[in-house]
C-alpha cells in the first residue's frame, strides 16, 4: 500500500507511544502527504526515503500545535504498515 502513496493522500497512522513519566498510550495521527523525499536522485537507485506530511490531527495530549509539518522516514511508515496501523483515509484525485 505504501508504495502507492501519492501527494495529497490523507493517511491515518497509529502506534503505541511509550513514556518514562506516563503509561504507554495509543497515538493516532491524521496527516496529508505533501511531498516525497527522494534519495540517490538521478541514479538507478533513486527511491523514496520518506514523506513530508502536514499533520492535522494528533491524539496525544502533549502534541504541541496543530496543524504542523513533519517528516516521516520510510522505515517508520513501513513498520506501521506491517503492524496494520497505517491506512489511507482519503486518496488524492489524479488529474
Amino acid at each position: 500500500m505504501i508504495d502507492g502513496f501519492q501527494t495529497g493522500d490523507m493517511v491515518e497512522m497509529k502506534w503505541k507511544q511509550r513514556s518514562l513519566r506516563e503509561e504507554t498510550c495509543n497515538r493516532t495521527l491524521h496527516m496529508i502527504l505533501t511531498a516525497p523525499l527522494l534519495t540517490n536522485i538521478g541514479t538507478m537507485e533513486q527511491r523514496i526515503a520518506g514523506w513530508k506530511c502536514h499533520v492535522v490531527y494528533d491524539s496525544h495530549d502533549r502534541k504541541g500545535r496543530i496543524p504542523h509539518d513533519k517528516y516521516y522516514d520510510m522505515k517508520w511508515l513501513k513498520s506501521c504498515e506491517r503492524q496494520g496501523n497505517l491506512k489511507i483515509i482519503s486518496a488524492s484525485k489524479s488529474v
Side-chain angles (χ1 to χ4, degrees):
M1 171 188 62
I2 199 167
D3 295 326
F5 278 178
Q6 297 181 32
T7 299
D9 287 351
M10 179 180 273
V11 297
E12 177 182 82
M13 183 168 61
K14 298 179 180 183
W15 70 91
K16 293 220 179 273
Q17 180 73 45
R18 295 186 189 138
S19 173
L20 297 174
R21 293 176 240 114
E22 302 166 0
E23 289 185 33
T24 299
C25 65
N26 293 320
R27 187 168 185 178
T28 302
L29 291 183
H30 292 174
M31 55 196 178
I32 300 167
L33 304 176
T34 57
L37 288 155
L38 302 175
T39 187
N40 299 324
I41 297 170
T43 69
M44 294 296 288
E45 292 82 36
Q46 180 174 312
R47 63 181 175 79
I48 297 176
W51 279 91
K52 288 183 182 179
C53 305
H54 188 68
V55 178
V56 294
Y57 171 77
D58 187 345
S59 67
H60 197 266
D61 53 341
R62 292 190 318 194
K63 61 188 162 253
R65 63 179 179 80
I66 294 291
H68 66 271
D69 293 324
K70 179 94 171 135
Y71 166 78
Y72 284 98
D73 187 82
M74 192 59 83
K75 288 180 184 178
W76 178 254
L77 295 170
K78 285 189 183 243
S79 174
C80 289
E81 180 183 28
R82 278 192 302 274
Q83 296 169 21
N85 294 327
L86 184 69
K87 68 179 181 179
I88 296 174
I89 298 171
S90 177
S92 68
K93 302 265 192 250
S94 298
V95 178

